[in-house]
C-alpha cells in the first residue's frame, strides 16, 4: 500500500504544488511590481474588476493568491469592497485555465518541456530565465498529475473508492464534502480537480462523483481567504465572506442538476478528463455571469450580513 498509493500520492502532489509555485514565481517576477498596479488600475467598476480577476488568476494560476491579494487591498483601504466583487467573480473563471490545459493531454511532453525550461534558466537574459521557470513549473504540474493518477486503480482494486462513494448514502453530497476538504487541506482547487479528472478517466470513480468533487473544490478554496481575513477590518472580511457565499450558492444551485448533467456532459468531449474540465468551466462561468450584473446588490447583502458591530466578535474569535 505504501509504494502503490501513499508514496506516489505524496510525491505527485508535492511535485504538482511545487510546479505551480515555480510557474507562479516566474510570472510574478516577469510582472515585477506592476501586478498590484494593474489590479488597482483596472478595477474601477465590477465589470472591469471581473476581467482583471479573470486575467490575473489565469496568469498566476491561483485564485487563492488573487483573493488574498484583494483582501489585503480592501483592508488597506485602497480598493472598495463593491469593486472587489468583480475580482472575486473573475478568479473563479481564471482558475479554470489550469484544468483546461491539463485536459489537452500534453503530459507526454513534460520531459522535453522540463529540458527546455532548464536550458532557458541557464541563459543570461532575465526575461528568458523567468520564462524558463514558467516552463519548468508546467513540466512539474504535468508530471505530478501523472503520478497522482497512478494511484487510482490501486485504490479502486482495494475497494476504498467504492466505500467512499457509498459513504452517507448520497455520492453527490459525499463528493462535494471530499472536494471541499481536500482543497482546504492542500490549498489548490486545481490539484483537486486534477484528481477528479484522472480518477474518472481511469474508471475509478463515476462522472457524478467527479463533478461533485469539482463543485466541492470551489468551496474548499475559500478557506485560505477566510483565514487571511481573520485579523483584518470589516471590509476585508466581507470579501472573504462574499467569496464563500458565492461558491456555496453555486454548489447548492448546481448539485441537484448533477444527475441531469450526467446525460449530456459526455457529448462535450470523447476524452473523459476533458469532460470534467469542461464541467468546471461551465459551472464557474455560469455562476459568475449570473451574479455579475447584480454585483452592487450582492455587495449590499454582504454588508447587511457583516455589519460593523460584528467586527469585535470576529476579532475576538480570531485571537
Amino acid at each position: 500500500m505504501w509504494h502503490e498509493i501513499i508514496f506516489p500520492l505524496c510525491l505527485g502532489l508535492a511535485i504538482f504544488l511545487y510546479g505551480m509555485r515555480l510557474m507562479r514565481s516566474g510570472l510574478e517576477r516577469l510582472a515585477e511590481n506592476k501586478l498590484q498596479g494593474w489590479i488597482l488600475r483596472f478595477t474601477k467598476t465590477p465589470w472591469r474588476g471581473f476581467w482583471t480577476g479573470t486575467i490575473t488568476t489565469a496568469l498566476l494560476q491561483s485564485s487563492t493568491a488573487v483573493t488574498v491579494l484583494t483582501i489585503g487591498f480592501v483592508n488597506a483601504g485602497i480598493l472598495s469592497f463593491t469593486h472587489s466583487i468583480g475580482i472575486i467573480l473573475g478568479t473563479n473563471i481564471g482558475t479554470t485555465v489550469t484544468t483546461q490545459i491539463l485536459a489537452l493531454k500534453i503530459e507526454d511532453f513534460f520531459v522535453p518541456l522540463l529540458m527546455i525550461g532548464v536550458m532557458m534558466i541557464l541563459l543570461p537574459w532575465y526575461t528568458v530565465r523567468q520564462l524558463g521557470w514558467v516552463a519548468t513549473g508546467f513540466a512539474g504540474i504535468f508530471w505530478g498529475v501523472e503520478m497522482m493518477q497512478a494511484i487510482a486503480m490501486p485504490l479502486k482494486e482495494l475497494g476504498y473508492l467504492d466505500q467512499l462513494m457509498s459513504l452517507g448514502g448520497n455520492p453527490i453530497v459525499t463528493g462535494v464534502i471530499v472536494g471541499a476538504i481536500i482543497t482546504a487541506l492542500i490549498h489548490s482547487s486545481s490539484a483537486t480537480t486534477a484528481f477528479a479528472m484522472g480518477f474518472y478517466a481511469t474508471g475509478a470513480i463515476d462522472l457524478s462523483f467527479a463533478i461533485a468533487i469539482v463543485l466541492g473544490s470551489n468551496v474548499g478554496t475559500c478557506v485560505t481567504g477566510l483565514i487571511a481575513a481573520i485579523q483584518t477590518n470589516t471590509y476585508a472580511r466581507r470579501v472573504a465572506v462574499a467569496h464563500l457565499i458565492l461558491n456555496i450558492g453555486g454548489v447548492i444551485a448546481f448539485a441537484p442538476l448533477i444527475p441531469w448533467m450526467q446525460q449530456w456532459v459526455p457529448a462535450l468531449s470523447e476524452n473523459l478528463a476533458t469532460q470534467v474540465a469542461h464541467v468546471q468551466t461551465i459551472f464557474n462561468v455560469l455562476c459568475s455571469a449570473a451574479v455579475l450584473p447584480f454585483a452592487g446588490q450582492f455587495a449590499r447583502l454582504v454588508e447587511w450580513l457583516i455589519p460593523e458591530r460584528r467586527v469585535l466578535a470576529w476579532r475576538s474569535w480570531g485571537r
Side-chain angles (χ1 to χ4, degrees), residues 12 17 31 37-38 128 135-136 166 170 174-175 229 243-244 269 283 285 293 296 302:
L17 295 177
W38 291 341
V128 175
T136 304
S166 62
N170 190 325
T174 302
H243 191 203
L244 180 65
S269 173
F283 167 73
V285 169
V302 176

Side-chain angles (χ1 to χ4, degrees), residues 140-293:
I141 290 173
F142 295 126
W143 189 15
V145 168
E146 190 171 10
M147 293 189 66
M148 289 187 290
Q149 289 178 356
I151 72 171
M153 292 316 298
L155 284 173
K156 179 73 173 179
E157 292 170 359
L158 290 172
Y160 293 152
L161 292 178
D162 291 332
Q163 294 176 19
L164 183 62
M165 287 187 286
S166 62
L167 188 66
N170 190 325
I172 294 176
V173 174
T174 302
V176 170
I177 295 173
V178 168
I181 292 175
I182 292 176
T183 304
L185 290 175
I186 66 179
H187 301 288
S188 175
S189 61
S190 296
T192 304
T193 303
F195 271 123
M197 292 167 61
F199 281 29
Y200 173 56
T202 57
I205 60 177
D206 58 30
L207 181 58
S208 63
F209 197 70
I211 295 174
I213 290 175
V214 171
L215 298 186
S217 71
N218 281 269
V219 178
T221 197
C222 300
V223 171
T224 306
L226 290 170
I227 295 173
I230 289 177
Q231 296 296 333
T232 57
N233 59 32
T234 310
Y235 308 104
R237 291 171 184 178
R238 286 171 178 167
V239 176
V241 172
H243 191 203
L244 180 65
I245 292 174
L246 287 169
N247 287 359
I248 289 179
V251 171
I252 292 175
F254 267 77
L257 302 177
I258 290 180
W260 172 70
M261 294 172 68
Q262 277 186 286
Q263 302 176 10
W264 60 265
V265 166
L268 296 175
S269 173
E270 295 181 356
N271 185 282
L272 299 182
T274 303
Q275 293 175 15
V276 179
H278 288 347
V279 168
Q280 185 205 28
T281 300
I282 292 171
F283 167 73
N284 285 321
V285 169
L286 289 181
C287 288
S288 296
V291 177
L292 186 58

Side-chain angles (χ1 to χ4, degrees), residues 18-38:
Y18 188 64
M20 291 280 288
R21 180 179 178 182
L22 286 179
M23 182 181 61
R24 190 180 311 135
S25 297
L27 290 168
E28 287 176 345
R29 284 193 290 267
L30 282 174
E32 295 180 339
N33 298 323
K34 299 177 183 178
L35 180 60
Q36 297 184 7
W38 291 341

